[in-house]
Amino acid sequence: MPPLPARRRVAVVGTGAIVSGSHLPALRAHADRVELVAAVDVDQDRLDQFRALAGGEVAGHTSMDAMLDAVRPDLVLIGTPPSLHREQTVAALKAGAWVLCEKPLTLSLAEYDEIAAAEEASGAYASVVFQHRYGSGAVHARELIASGELGAPRVAHCQTTWHRDAAYYAVPWRGKWATEGGGPTMGHGIHQYDLLLHLLGPWTEIRAMAARLVHDTESEDVSTALVRFENGALATVVNSVLSPDEVSRIRIDCADATVELTHLYGHRNDDWTYTPAPHVAAERAEAWRTPASDVPSSHTAQLGALLDAYDNGVRPPNSGTEARATLEFAAALYKAAFTGDPVHAGEIAPGDPFYPAMHGDHPHWAPKERA
């Protein structure tokens, strides 16, 4: 048998809740494949608390550049505020490390293309965390839809209706274009419509609306969209932080069945349902039931897929053109909402105001200079 790959040396950048609560358990679940060797945080107290939580010999640094020089990790996990993602990802790539970064990977398509250039120059890869693609229920649904087993997709609904109060937006970097990149379209609903794109494939046209109905933010607190897919399906997408009854939901009506996922922040097999059309035989529908293996959507599942790619020397999922497509969808939704015009896939390119910034420098939405 061939020898097992060496354990990958991993560093985390940012030691807040998402890294402590999601990335650290994922690293522990893959302890046979990875070794956490370093952590970076500008807050020394938070860094010390994380190192105590992580245990072992985890080097602490308050500078990412100093960590990269001293440690030379194989993989860097980034869980900092969004405005830091591009700079930190590019730095890690230049040091030869692969990257797994929290969403959004960048705040614009222009920034994303800087990362693509850094990948090309370094030979390393940057992947964005979209963990909902990796649960066994999502894998199964995609296989059924892609194979045509459920019939042609026709109508879909994608719903992220959550609730965030004023205290949530009191955090200085939230609700601002320069530091968060947008409102629930970028920071909340992106997980759900990424999964929708994963299930249905490329989109061709989007029409949208957005509003600030409650929160005093630069960006929106609700957006809605109508989407036409390359396969002919039509979909609605809703992203809200104004909804007391919180739910995350995807429903796809195909010619032979409706597949529906209902959850909040993560799903298991039981969160997926299949409803056959009246003409479908019972024995055929029975074969659609979710697989016996029940893998929850999680950072653990996505990290495993990334490590598989690393071991095989191939581009990891949720990177490259695949990850860019989700960011392009966000940019197109904003452009359609702010201009009132339909937007077609591929039209946002250098020279388009929505290429360097999600607000597109629109007079009603661009950041206002403060005295």
Side-chain angles (χ1 to χ4, degrees):
M1 292 182 65
L4 292 174
R7 292 170 72 201
R8 307 302 176 185
R9 300 170 69 254
V10 180
V12 298
V13 180
T15 59
I18 192 65
V19 172
S20 298
S22 295
H23 286 283
L24 184 57
L27 290 169
R28 286 172 170 160
H30 293 288
D32 59 329
R33 306 179 72 184
V34 295
E35 177 187 8
L36 179 60
V37 296
V40 179
D41 203 302
V42 295
D43 185 321
Q44 185 68 55
D45 289 341
R46 188 167 56 209
L47 176 61
D48 291 343
Q49 291 171 13
F50 176 82
R51 292 174 68 201
L53 177 65
E57 298 297 325
V58 179
H61 296 267
T62 55
S63 162
M64 182 175 178
D65 288 340
M67 181 276 292
L68 291 172
D69 288 341
V71 178
R72 309 302 295 184
D74 300 309
L75 172 64
V76 175
L77 308 182
I78 297 176
T80 54
S83 62
L84 302 174
H85 290 176
R86 179 201 58 81
E87 178 182 358
Q88 292 172 340
T89 296
V90 168
L93 291 170
K94 286 182 176 180
W98 285 33
V99 175
L100 179 59
C101 180
E102 283 297 321
K103 55 77 187 165
L105 181 55
T106 64
L107 303 188
S108 69
L109 289 170
E111 286 191 354
Y112 190 91
D113 290 344
E114 289 183 46
I115 287 177
E119 284 187 328
E120 182 70 22
S122 68
Y125 297 115
S127 185
V128 60
V129 174
F130 284 131
Q131 71 271 22
H132 293 326
R133 291 187 178 204
Y134 297 88
S136 52
V139 172
H140 184 62
R142 187 169 190 260
E143 290 173 349
L144 289 174
I145 293 170
S147 69
E149 174 57 29
L150 303 184
R154 291 175 172 169
V155 182
H157 306 277
C158 178
Q159 175 185 353
T160 305
T161 42
W162 295 356
H163 190 270
R164 299 293 183 265
D165 59 15
Y168 176 84
Y169 284 103
V171 176
W173 57 265
R174 288 185 175 141
K176 296 182 175 66
W177 294 108
T179 48
E180 192 171 23
T185 307
M186 277 285 275
H188 304 83
I190 193 168
H191 276 299
Q192 220 65 308
Y193 62 72
D194 172 76
L195 180 54
L196 182 74
L197 297 174
H198 186 58
L199 295 173
L200 285 184
W203 60 277
T204 60
E205 180 184 355
I206 184 168
R207 300 166 186 257
M209 292 188 290
R212 303 181 196 97
L213 297 182
V214 174
H215 296 293
D216 182 18
T217 58
E218 291 181 351
S219 52
E220 84 291 357
D221 54 17
V222 62
S223 69
T224 64
L226 302 175
V227 186
R228 188 186 307 275
F229 282 83
E230 199 173 270
N231 59 21
L234 298 180
T236 63
V237 177
V238 178
N239 309 295
S240 167
V241 287
L242 309 178
S243 308
D245 183 10
E246 296 187 298
V247 69
S248 305
R249 179 178 292 123
I250 287 178
R251 170 178 167 143
I252 300 174
D253 297 324
C254 299
D256 295 340
T258 292
V259 55
E260 187 166 8
L261 165 66
T262 304
H263 67 119
L264 186 54
Y265 299 136
H267 58 78
R268 304 188 73 102
N269 287 352
D270 286 348
D271 298 315
W272 294 80
T273 60
Y274 292 84
T275 303
H279 64 268
V280 172
E283 57 272 18
R284 180 183 170 201
E286 185 60 32
W288 300 338
R289 303 308 170 198
T290 49
S293 174
D294 191 2
V295 179
S297 63
S298 65
H299 287 66
T300 298
Q302 181 164 359
L303 179 59
L306 183 145
L307 292 172
D308 290 343
Y310 199 128
D311 291 346
N312 290 299
V314 298
R315 175 176 285 282
N318 285 117
S319 68
T321 56
E322 184 179 286
R324 193 184 190 279
T326 300
L327 196 67
E328 183 192 5
F329 184 90
L333 194 158
Y334 280 124
K335 182 177 181 179
F338 296 169
T339 65
D341 297 324
V343 175
H344 295 88
E347 79 171 56
I348 301 177
D352 189 301
F354 288 86
Y355 177 74
M358 292 290 173
H359 55 72
D361 206 27
H362 189 278
H364 294 157
W365 288 96
K368 303 295 190 295
E369 291 188 11
R370 301 189 184 276

